[in-house]
Each structure stands twice: as structure tokens, then as C-alpha cells.
Amino acid sequence: MREHLFPLAMELLRRQLVLGGVKSVLADLDGDQIHYFDLAGKNRGGPTVVLIHGLGSSAAGWSRVIFPFAKSAGRVLVPDMPGSGFGPLPRSGPLGFDGLLEFVDRFLEAKVGGPVVMIGNSLGGALVARFAARHPKKVRAAVLVAPAGAPLGPDKLKQTLTIYADGTEHGARELMRRVYVRPPPLLPTLFAPGMRNQLARPGVAKLIEEASRVEGLAPDEVRALSMPTLLLWGGQEKVLPFEGIDFFRQHLPSSAEINVIDGFGHCPQLERPRQLVGMIDSFLRRRLDPLPA
């Protein structure tokens, strides 16, 4: 019975967003399918904001910040990575990290066509960093929320990935506890079977396996982030090694803003959504250049 609670909660979240005016779109993308949430913002001259989720998560994980971001954005787009959430796998099968980059590029070209503000959490933060380094003209600003991607030694890497690759209900429950600063009562216990199944999906499992043998971000990639860049790290981070922020501090350009926020854990969009949006909105107001007329 508990195995059905996680997908049921996902579907209820999706329906709640749709009732609020968010489009839940399953679209064709050169023969593949992609699912994404799409909300028109209240600021017609504002940026298009694209939210990229992390490993084992989904577009629904951003549900608490979609409407707040829409107050200052022109549009908010939240794609499910292929094989996660409501996103089907592509015809070629599960994608690795660089495959996700190409998929995101195809998505933005097809559905936006212009530069965007990209916000990524965890593995999504690493994806945003690499995408922005490779395609600087397509990214007006990059926001990295508890980003993965810092190169780790073998022991730290194994320790970090073990909780994702555990494959048991206990491991899924422990991951959910670490994601939060203060987990909602009973949530890890009730949703652990569904989270275990989510982590076992082929698209997620491939990324876990790839992460165990592929180097993280290169210093030159991080140095290449010439656009306005904001990094937010939780003072109560419990998923990634805290020293991961040192890599970004060492290599991000001096123009980047880096903040460690007390009260933030690994996914502040789940626990502190309005504070997260407020900090990002403030950064964008200060640092974002207007698009040319």
C-alpha cells in the first residue's frame, strides 16, 4: 500500500498545479517525449525562468516555488528530466549526464528559443553549471542551489552515492531525512517505498552508476561562468559533503555571489520556498541586464 503513496502524491501535486493555472505538458521533441510544467508569469517583460531538478527528484519537487517565481518572471518552465517524474525515457534509452545536457538544449531551443535564467538544485545545479559554461549566450543568469559536481575523493564519492544506490527502503528513508533540515513527521516512513522505486528507475539508476566513475565539473568549466551567477548552500546541508562548496569558492569568477544560508538544507525549495525565491529575485533584480529591444 505504501508503495502507491509516492506516485499518488506526485499526481495530486500535478493536479493542484493545473488547477492553479499551470500547464502540464507532454510534448514531442524530435520523436522523443518530454513532460514539463509551464506557467505564464505576471511580469510580461521578465525573464523566462527554467528550474532543473536533481537526482531522484522531479519537476514536482519545485511545486512550492513555481507560483512565487511567476510574480516577477515572464514565464516559468520546469521540465522533468527523461526517465524522472512524469518524463518518459527517450527512444535511445536512459541518458547519462551529457545526454541530459543535450536534451535540455533541445528543449530550450524548441520551447523558448532565447536566453533564460537557469536554476538548478543538486545534480541539476551541476547540469546548469556545465550547460552555462558550454552555452553562455543561452543563459542570462545561472543559479546553483546546493550544486553537485565538485570533484570528490574516492571515499567521499562512495559515501555520497551509497545513499542513492542503496536500493533498500531503509536507504530511501535515510535519503529523505537528509534532504530536509526537519523532515515532516512520518513522511520518510510513508514515502520510502515509493522513493526506493523512483531511485531504481532506469534513467535515475544510469546517472547513479555514471556518477561513480565519471569526473565532476572541471575548474575551467566553473571559471567560464561569466554570466551573473549565484550559489546558495545550506548551512544544514546533509546530502553533499560540505567541503564541496570550497571547490566552487576557489574556481567561480569573482563576480559570482556565494552564500551559505542558515536554515537551508539540501532542497530549500521544499522547506523554505519563499525565502529561496526572495533571495533569487533580489539577485536577479540587481544583476540581470535587460534584453535588448
Side-chain angles (χ1 to χ4, degrees), residues 66-86:
I66 293 176
F67 293 109
F69 271 124
K71 293 179 181 179
S72 58
R75 187 182 183 192
V76 182
L77 289 170
V78 196
D80 272 315
M81 294 298 99
S84 294
F86 298 104

Side-chain angles (χ1 to χ4, degrees), residues 154 157-158 161 165 205-215:
L157 179 60
K158 182 177 180 180
L161 290 177
K206 180 177 177 66
L207 289 167
I208 295 172
E209 186 277 329
E210 182 183 79
S212 68
R213 56 181 174 78
V214 174
E215 292 290 334

Side-chain angles (χ1 to χ4, degrees), residues 121-133:
N121 173 231
S122 194
L123 184 71
L127 192 152
V128 167
R130 179 164 287 175
F131 185 90

Side-chain angles (χ1 to χ4, degrees), residues 7 10 51 95 119 130 148 153 168 195 209 225 238 242 251 257 262 272:
M10 292 270 291
L51 305 170
L95 300 178
I119 302 172
R130 179 164 287 175
T168 67
M195 175 58 77
E209 186 277 329
L225 299 180
K238 294 184 287 187
F242 201 86
H251 298 295
E257 298 185 22
D262 187 47
R272 308 288 288 272

Side-chain angles (χ1 to χ4, degrees), residues 112-210:
V112 184
V116 300
V117 170
M118 293 192 76
I119 302 172
N121 173 231
S122 194
L123 184 71
L127 192 152
V128 167
R130 179 164 287 175
F131 185 90
R134 293 183 179 180
H135 306 286
K137 293 183 179 180
K138 297 181 180 182
V139 181
R140 296 180 66 188
V143 180
L144 316 177
V145 182
L152 303 172
D155 291 341
K156 285 287 186 182
L157 179 60
K158 182 177 180 180
Q159 179 182 343
T160 301
L161 290 177
T162 293
I163 192 170
Y164 286 94
D166 181 275
T168 67
E169 186 176 323
H170 170 77
R173 184 165 56 246
E174 181 61 23
L175 175 60
M176 296 183 78
R177 286 174 176 158
R178 292 192 191 184
V179 161
Y180 289 89
V181 177
R182 295 181 180 84
L186 298 180
L187 184 144
T189 298
L190 292 175
F191 286 172
M195 175 58 77
R196 177 197 60 203
N197 293 342
Q198 173 74 4
L199 293 170
R201 292 177 66 173
V204 179
K206 180 177 177 66
L207 289 167
I208 295 172
E209 186 277 329
E210 182 183 79

